[in-house]
Amino acid sequence: MTSPSLQHLFFGTIQLLVVILGSVQGSNTTTPLVIWHGMGDSCCNPLSMGAIKKMVEEEVPGVYVLSLKIGETIIQDTENSFFMDVNAQVAFVCDQLSKDPNLKGGYNAMGFSQGGQFLRAVAQRCPSPPMKTLISVGGQHQGVYGLPRCPGESSHICDWIRKQLNSGAYTDFVQKHLVQAQYWHDPLNEELYRTHSLFLADVNQERVVNETYKKNLQSLEKFVMVKFLKDTIVDPVDTEWFGFLKPGQAKETETLQESILYKEDRLGLAEMDKAGKLVFLTSDGDHLQFTREWFNTKLLPYIR
Ligand SMILES: *[C@@H]1O[C@H](CO)[C@@H](O)[C@H](O)[C@H]1NC(C)=O
Ligand SMILES: *[C@@H]1O[C@H](CO)[C@@H](O)[C@H](O)[C@H]1NC(C)=O
């Protein structure tokens, strides 16, 4: 039979362990980060998203970084960035995030290029788990009207895509099967865009104002948008700050603040702007070109 003093010692030890474990967990105060790659890229390319993940893990010890893979394999992931229905991609991601125990308490999100507008759709459609801060790095929030150059080594596919877009981005077939068509925004055909764009016109409240989208987006702590001043891939580059070409022509641009979307506050962005939740940053390079020093100074403060 155990003596009372030993029992005390035993239970005392368990209590001590619980306290230690509790404090270790308690000290893990980093917010997880979810990243979504751009067109022609994948979750795990060591020269792009792999490098970003590693960099963040080095700068923020203990942080959980999830680099999204859309599909079963890395090849599928890359193909899906060209050919998978964007609404289905967003639903796929929402499902994955809701099942990830590491994200229960909320997460920050960082989208690269088209991953920027796709993660905004996640914020608007899927409030659980909660996204805290959204960082869009060269995202195209008002879509594109041109694809002058392609990133990386996908120029062959890109030439083909450009042809499809120019010949009829709003036909049902192209809309359903070409990712870039789903954020193609033709300022000369705003009505066609409004009625036929399966993805962007919906998330930008062009058809109806969905109050849920507004409420969900507004629950972000910050919405950070990075524009690349020497961008040769995104046209017009204003879209990276939620601006675009003025309707009815293809020369003059307008800022977010000058747009109907903002003036009617269809998406709640004007209110967020007044509350100091919108952050507009620049990088002096071409599309997605930045240094580690720039990243650490400009973006890291929002994900620590
Ligand atoms: C912090 O929490 C995350 C997610 O729960 C976990 O993946 C990570 O390993 C933890 N880090 C430390 C240092 O405990
Ligand atoms: C508004 O968005 C929510 C979230 O995606 C969706 O469930 C709902 O059906 C939408 N309502 C309308 C009118 O589109």
Side-chain angles (χ1 to χ4, degrees), residues 124-125 208 210 212-213:
Q124 291 175 208
R125 289 179 184 166
V208 290
N210 184 332
T212 308
Y213 280 0

Side-chain angles (χ1 to χ4, degrees), residues 120-303:
R120 176 164 61 83
V122 171
Q124 291 175 208
R125 289 179 184 166
C126 312
S128 172
M131 188 187 292
K132 296 182 170 188
T133 284
L134 169 61
I135 304 179
S136 158
V137 186
Q140 299 102 39
H141 294 281
Q142 275 293 7
V144 295
Y145 187 51
L147 205 61
R149 262 181 358 96
C150 287
E153 289 151 22
S154 23
S155 64
H156 207 68
I157 302 182
C158 227
D159 290 340
W160 181 81
I161 289 177
R162 196 178 294 115
K163 239 185 236 161
Q164 305 304 314
L165 291 172
N166 290 332
S167 72
Y170 300 121
T171 63
D172 283 351
F173 182 82
V174 175
Q175 277 291 313
K176 288 216 175 78
H177 295 97
L178 194 53
V179 164
Q180 289 68 35
Q182 295 176 40
Y183 57 84
W184 187 255
H185 186 167
D186 182 347
L188 304 175
N189 285 295
E190 288 284 348
E191 195 50 37
L192 262 185
Y193 160 69
R194 204 166 289 133
T195 47
H196 286 83
S197 160
L198 288 180
F199 170 71
L200 195 67
D202 176 73
V203 291
N204 283 2
Q205 312 267 50
E206 295 283 0
R207 291 189 276 266
V208 290
V209 172
N210 184 332
E211 290 298 331
T212 308
Y213 280 0
K214 223 168 151 168
K215 183 174 118 248
N216 289 344
L217 190 65
Q218 290 189 322
S219 61
L220 286 175
E221 288 166 18
K222 293 266 189 235
F223 175 17
V224 180
M225 285 174 263
V226 177
K227 176 163 91 175
F228 290 88
L229 297 177
K230 301 196 177 106
D231 203 312
T232 59
I233 287 177
V234 170
D235 191 16
V237 71
D238 312 69
T239 187
E240 297 180 356
W241 275 4
F242 233 122
F244 204 63
L245 293 155
K246 287 184 185 167
Q249 51 86 60
K251 268 201 175 118
E252 276 180 66
T253 58
E254 64 184 13
T255 62
L256 167 65
Q257 286 76 5
E258 290 162 348
S259 69
I260 299 274
L261 177 74
Y262 188 94
K263 285 180 181 157
E264 293 180 354
D265 209 12
R266 300 174 71 86
L267 196 48
L269 289 165
E271 228 176 289
M272 289 176 77
D273 201 12
K274 279 172 198 122
K277 288 184 167 190
L278 301 187
V279 180
F280 299 92
L281 301 178
T282 58
S283 170
D284 194 30
D286 197 350
H287 197 56
L288 304 189
Q289 301 301 307
F290 53 82
T291 63
R292 182 167 183 154
E293 193 199 353
W294 179 91
F295 185 90
N296 288 353
T297 325
K298 302 283 190 170
L299 301 190
L300 217 47
Y302 295 102
I303 58 173

